[in-house]
Amino acid sequence: MYKESKKFSLGKIILGIGLAGCLFGNLALGAYQIRQSDTSSQKVGQFIDDQLEKQAKEAEKKNTYQEDGFVVADQYEIRSTKAISDAYLKNDDSSLNAEEKETLKLAKDILEKITKNCKNNYEKEKAVYDWMYKNITFNDGSIIAMPSDLGNRYTPYGVLKGQKAVCVGYATTFRLFMNMLGLECHVVHNDSHSWGLVQLDDKEWYHVDIYSDVTSNSKYLNFNMPDGIAKNNLDWDGSMLPVAKGTKYTYPLHNHEEVKNLYAVPKKIKNALEKKKSALCLSFKKKLTDKDLALANVMISNITSALYDIPKYEDYGINAYWYDDEKGSYILGIFIGYYNTTTNDNDVPKKDKKKIISAIEEAFGITIN
């Protein structure tokens, strides 16, 4: 099962918006130039068209991407929840079995409570994310998972009852909520990880990886990402999935504050750390130049290095990305993650804890403080 380690995109400012579009444009231009060079021979042009069509059909036949029924990490099956969401939308659960009916009731009670004051689908989607981030945990404080616990963490039924989940549980539960809201949503996966892909009111698609945000204590880092940003940390077969290129509902576009220039950013980050904020999104009074973009990279790199040298912040890390502000400039999204490596040992008698530590010290030839 995929799990983020204490590994951040330290000092890395990544402009993901528009990358796929530029690449596609170059390929399209190349094809256009080939055809123009062969205008004297329609047969050659037709041959190229036929070959391209043949290649496209062969690629389609070879595609093996599967959503429902796929097993992630050789353990966790992505199961369909369409019957449950359809029952909610039709207000008719007569075709559901007992477990599906209980899942529907659990999801319905949560959804109607958390979205009652929402004005649009984006606010509803964010309310679902916020609820899941706060209430669904990936473990119970123990670093050794029990087999009996893992068995019920990958379906919405198990997740909503036990409020614990592996990545498949987060992804399928998020998809269920989105489908109940009438929104299209896919579970995206590779062999070891899965997350959500949702279409919002702008008819654009966005990646949502709640599991990774929970495991890294970095709220909104993987919320409503376009492909360009998602690909920095995630890998998937996109041949049968929609392209995610939306920017309207990225978190920074709706939650940013304006600062004068880059020199004001370090103090903002310091204040965010003091207040234990997970996200800091900043726009700038003047349009940023190439020099500013380079300077921002230097700034984040040095701040992340400094954090490791300050005991108070040594378990914190920063991911930073540029987001399109839809006005010809960018918003700097800074996401603060915290990794607590301590375990809950309150239930362990002191004498037993001392004895096991002595055994570790003897085995490894070290002293544990």
Side-chain angles (χ1 to χ4, degrees):
M1 176 60 59
Y2 171 95
K3 180 178 178 182
E4 283 195 337
S5 61
K6 189 178 176 183
K7 177 183 178 184
F8 299 87
S9 300
L10 297 177
K12 211 179 245 188
I13 301 293
I14 304 167
L15 176 55
I17 308 299
L19 178 60
C22 293
L23 190 59
F24 178 81
N26 290 336
L27 293 174
L29 179 61
Y32 175 77
Q33 289 173 332
I34 289 172
R35 293 192 182 189
Q36 288 299 305
S37 68
D38 291 313
T39 52
S40 61
S41 174
Q42 292 183 356
K43 289 184 179 181
V44 173
Q46 185 61 50
F47 174 77
I48 293 172
D49 288 341
D50 291 344
Q51 288 298 106
L52 290 173
E53 184 177 356
K54 182 179 179 181
Q55 290 173 10
K57 288 181 178 179
E58 287 298 317
E60 186 176 347
K61 288 179 182 178
K62 291 179 181 179
N63 188 280
T64 57
Y65 185 84
Q66 178 186 6
E67 187 169 334
D68 291 330
F70 186 86
V71 180
V72 176
D74 296 324
Q75 300 183 73
Y76 309 111
E77 182 184 356
I78 299 171
R79 296 182 179 177
S80 175
T81 53
K82 188 176 187 301
I84 301 172
S85 56
D86 284 351
Y88 175 79
L89 294 171
K90 295 175 182 177
N91 195 28
D92 178 9
D93 67 357
S94 60
S95 64
L96 302 182
N97 60 37
E99 182 177 302
E100 290 171 333
K101 286 181 179 180
E102 188 172 358
T103 304
L104 174 58
K105 184 181 186 310
L106 289 166
K108 178 182 178 181
D109 290 346
I110 294 166
L111 190 64
E112 295 183 351
K113 180 180 179 180
I114 65 177
T115 62
K116 62 182 180 180
N117 296 320
C118 296
K119 299 176 183 177
N120 54 48
N121 284 327
Y122 166 72
E123 291 185 3
K124 293 175 183 178
E125 180 223 11
K126 182 175 176 295
V128 168
Y129 173 95
D130 288 340
W131 185 88
M132 291 185 65
Y133 182 90
K134 180 180 179 181
N135 293 283
I136 308 298
T137 180
F138 72 100
N139 86 31
D140 55 7
S142 172
I143 61 174
I144 305 175
M146 297 296 293
S148 58
D149 289 336
L150 293 178
N152 62 7
R153 294 187 184 185
Y154 67 98
T155 67
Y157 175 75
V159 170
L160 295 177
K161 278 185 70 71
Q163 297 197 354
K164 297 175 185 176
V166 294
C167 66
V168 174
Y170 279 99
T172 54
T173 303
F174 178 76
R175 181 182 64 177
L176 173 61
F177 279 130
M178 294 300 101
N179 289 163
M180 289 171 68
L181 291 171
L183 298 174
E184 291 290 323
C185 187
H186 293 286
V187 173
V188 188
H189 64 78
N190 52 41
D191 289 337
S192 59
H193 186 44
S194 61
W195 62 95
L197 179 67
V198 63
Q199 186 182 46
L200 297 176
D201 288 338
D202 59 349
K203 303 303 179 184
E204 298 290 354
W205 293 84
Y206 299 83
H207 294 271
V208 180
D209 186 357
I210 307 174
Y211 173 86
S212 290
D213 285 355
V214 172
T215 57
S216 64
N217 288 313
S218 188
K219 196 173 185 181
Y220 303 125
L221 173 61
N222 293 288
F223 174 63
N224 285 358
M225 301 177 290
D227 282 347
I229 288 179
K231 286 179 179 177
N232 289 302
N233 297 308
L234 300 170
D235 178 53
W236 69 95
D237 175 8
S239 58
M240 293 290 285
L241 292 167
V243 174
K245 55 185 177 65
T247 59
K248 182 177 181 180
Y249 295 114
T250 54
Y251 181 79
L253 204 65
H254 292 263
N255 301 274
H256 62 89
E257 60 177 297
E258 188 178 75
V259 293
K260 184 178 180 180
N261 53 40
L262 285 170
Y263 298 99
V265 175
K267 185 172 287 187
K268 289 287 184 181
I269 294 177
K270 172 67 160 45
N271 290 339
L273 288 165
E274 293 290 337
K275 295 178 180 179
K276 299 186 182 302
K277 292 177 64 176
S278 295
L280 175 66
C281 305
L282 304 170
S283 58
F284 300 87
K285 287 187 177 181
K286 293 183 179 180
K287 187 173 180 178
L288 298 170
T289 65
D290 289 343
K291 179 181 177 181
D292 293 326
L293 298 180
L295 184 61
N297 197 65
V298 172
M299 174 186 68
I300 295 296
S301 179
N302 280 274
I303 289 175
T304 52
S305 296
L307 293 183
Y308 278 110
D309 294 329
I310 304 173
K312 185 178 180 180
Y313 301 126
E314 62 183 356
D315 289 326
Y316 287 83
I318 291 175
N319 284 274
Y321 301 97
W322 290 115
Y323 290 80
D324 189 338
D325 70 352
E326 298 191 329
K327 296 178 182 178
S329 191
Y330 304 109
I331 296 169
L332 180 58
I334 300 169
F335 301 92
I336 301 168
Y338 172 71
Y339 286 84
N340 185 354
T341 57
T342 61
T343 59
N344 183 6
D345 57 8
N346 292 330
D347 296 331
V348 178
K350 288 184 178 180
K351 63 176 183 178
D352 292 339
K353 180 181 176 182
K354 185 176 181 180
K355 189 175 180 180
I356 197 67
I357 288 177
S358 295
I360 296 170
E361 290 176 333
E362 182 180 350
F364 290 91
I366 59 173
T367 299
I368 300 176
N369 296 323

